[in-house]
Amino acid sequence: MNQVLVLNSGSSSIKYRLIDMDDRARLADGTVERIGESAGSVADHAAGMDVVLGALKGRLDRSRLAAVGHRVVHGGDRFRGPTLIDDEVCDAIRELIPLAPLHNPANLTLIEAARSAFPDTPQVAVFDTAFHQTLPDYAYTYAIPKEWRTDLGVRRYGFHGTSHQYVSRRAAAMLGREPEEVNMIVLHLGNGASVCAVREGKSVDTSMGMTPLEGLVMGTRSGDLDPAVSAYIARQSGQSAEQIDQTLNKASGLLALAGSNDMRDVDTAAAKGEEAARLALDVYCYRIRKYIGAYLAALGRVDAVAFTAGVGENSATVRAGALLGLEHLGISVSPKRNAQESKQERYISPYWAQTAVLVVPTDEEIEIADQALQVLGAQP
Ligand code: ADP
């Protein structure tokens, strides 16, 4: 019993990975994309599960499958860690649908399909929000009416928790210390992006809020915005709340500023002197810098700043831009180390720096597999 199947479903995709936990080797992995998007594509996440099962034929050995690990986006304030799935847990994930209307239904459909495909295998839910359940009340509370907070659950939950947890543990290991001994700022910069302030191994603040829209500028999301903008646009243009929500989530961010949500395109265009791309890059990096300043104040002492995910792992421009002018706070990159391309965990700060600046490739699938086994009482 040494195999774990990890299923990571987005609103229109399923990433899967079958892992041999003895040597952490990938026995199979892939992505089913554009689920439910058009006629002829995979109809829903249950049909997507059939595609995954087809792809695993010949590689998956049911007698050796110890667990199926599921990424679930929203665990509300109910799930503080990985959880063995039963009917009651499915009901609780269903009750949280209003908080994550696109993701939790997709996650649930996939969980149900996997439970019927593997009725004898334990299934574990790993929540994107769980790592942030350690936020103190003053960090997760919005200053809004009590009924909104208590009856409607409006508060900061935070996301990307699996990645922040994995990266913060790896970063502590790179410093040669236990996670409980280290304070750090983790920058997860992918299509979605968020910052996390980690004190002694625990999340104490994070930039995404009740939904993944708040915080940093992202591929297609605006990040922080005056909350009055939505009502203003509704009044001026007659658009519905739903349309405005769509625009802020799907048609804003880098895409709105520079015409592409892919940082590679923005970087290339900025290097060619295109003004819109220059501005997009500056807005993107400045937002990160403001959060670093805020989290330095929140943490007091910071031992490391860690970059991860597609942009964080690959864009030297963004890493340098985000830390520009922070030398007097002990945070800087060595231009030579920063420019070096690599898929490995590495230091990019100069040898004399007070604060380590690190690049740590994230691996949410391994983290989900490890947490799934932890729940079953088998240490990874
Ligand atoms: P997801 O949130 O979908 O998991 P990823 O972590 O894979 O996203 O990040 C995707 C982003 O990473 C893309 O927007 C892409 O622009 C960016 N990216 C990937 N490679 C590079 C690179 N070499 N330089 C700059 N950005 C990159």
Side-chain angles (χ1 to χ4, degrees):
M1 298 285 256
N2 60 351
Q3 296 187 355
V4 175
L5 174 62
V6 176
L7 297 173
N8 178 347
S9 58
S11 52
S12 64
S13 67
I14 303 173
K15 275 196 224 166
Y16 62 90
R17 192 191 295 178
L18 180 66
I19 307 170
D20 181 330
M21 296 304 284
D22 290 342
D23 57 3
R24 300 165 96 71
R26 293 177 195 208
L27 301 172
D29 68 355
T31 309
V32 183
E33 276 171 328
R34 283 187 276 281
I35 296 174
E37 281 186 358
S38 60
S41 67
V42 177
D44 60 14
H45 283 70
M49 186 70 214
D50 290 335
V51 177
V52 173
L53 289 172
L56 293 175
K57 267 221 173 77
R59 290 183 254 194
L60 176 89
D61 177 352
R62 281 172 183 266
S63 68
R64 294 176 64 201
L65 188 64
V68 181
H70 294 268
R71 169 192 178 228
V72 180
V73 168
H74 219 304
D77 55 12
R78 155 139 193 200
F79 295 104
R80 305 182 66 87
T83 306
L84 190 62
I85 295 172
D86 57 17
D87 292 342
E88 201 195 321
V89 169
C90 286
D91 289 344
I93 296 171
R94 192 169 298 113
E95 280 163 25
L96 291 164
I97 285 176
L99 289 173
L102 293 180
H103 288 94
N104 275 28
N107 297 154
L108 254 184
T109 309
L110 191 62
I111 287 172
E112 276 156 5
R115 287 178 85 194
S116 53
F118 303 103
D120 303 321
T121 307
Q123 316 248 340
V124 177
V126 175
F127 298 89
D128 247 27
T129 48
F131 183 56
H132 304 300
Q133 280 295 302
T134 47
L135 258 60
D137 55 3
Y138 56 79
Y140 71 66
T141 301
Y142 293 124
I144 51 172
K146 187 152 190 251
E147 307 76 67
W148 293 9
R149 287 180 277 132
T150 53
D151 302 348
L152 298 175
V154 180
R155 51 159 284 181
R156 178 181 309 287
Y157 293 98
F159 298 87
H160 291 146
T162 314
S163 177
H164 287 303
Q165 188 167 9
Y166 173 83
V167 170
S168 58
R169 217 185 37 247
R170 289 303 316 153
M174 287 173 76
L175 301 180
R177 294 200 254 159
E178 295 300 323
E180 296 73 33
E181 300 170 328
V182 181
N183 288 358
M184 70 178 90
I185 297 172
V186 179
L187 298 157
H188 177 110
L189 311 176
N191 268 316
S194 70
V195 200
C196 184
V198 181
R199 174 181 285 133
E200 296 164 1
K202 293 196 169 74
S203 172
V204 293
D205 205 351
T206 192
S207 58
M208 283 178 167
M210 183 186 85
T211 78
L213 184 58
E214 196 181 349
L216 300 180
V217 176
M218 309 178 212
T220 63
R221 296 187 197 128
S222 62
D224 291 338
L225 191 74
D226 180 339
V229 167
S230 291
Y232 172 76
I233 298 294
R235 282 194 303 271
Q236 295 300 110
S237 71
Q239 287 186 54
S240 66
E242 211 56 52
Q243 286 170 314
I244 295 169
D245 192 50
Q246 275 279 333
T247 302
L248 294 176
N249 275 288
K250 302 264 180 203
S252 297
L254 292 176
L255 179 62
L257 293 178
S260 169
N261 62 330
D262 191 316
M263 185 54 87
R264 284 167 288 208
D265 298 338
V266 180
D267 206 352
T268 310
K272 279 196 224 144
E274 284 180 27
E275 179 55 20
R278 191 278 307 160
L279 177 62
L281 207 51
D282 282 352
V283 173
Y284 187 96
C285 292
Y286 178 62
R287 184 77 53 85
I288 297 173
R289 199 148 72 235
K290 283 211 290 192
Y291 270 96
I292 292 174
Y295 289 176
L296 280 169
L299 291 169
R301 187 197 87 228
V302 171
D303 305 297
V305 174
F307 286 91
T308 194
V311 177
E313 292 165 29
N314 296 301
S315 175
T317 316
V318 167
R319 292 190 300 253
L323 303 185
L324 198 69
L326 301 182
E327 299 83 4
H328 65 291
L329 296 170
I331 300 175
S332 63
V333 292
S334 144
K336 195 171 152 208
R337 289 179 168 185
N338 187 37
Q340 197 85 47
E341 286 183 25
S342 162
K343 296 279 166 222
Q344 306 298 312
E345 295 176 348
R346 58 199 186 273
Y347 278 75
I348 56 168
S349 40
Y351 69 92
W352 44 261
Q354 283 173 39
T355 306
V357 181
L358 311 171
V359 178
V360 182
T362 193
D363 194 338
E364 292 171 86
E365 278 72 24
I366 276 286
E367 183 66 28
I368 291 169
D370 280 341
Q371 293 195 14
L373 289 190
Q374 273 165 30
V375 168
L376 302 178
Q379 288 305 315

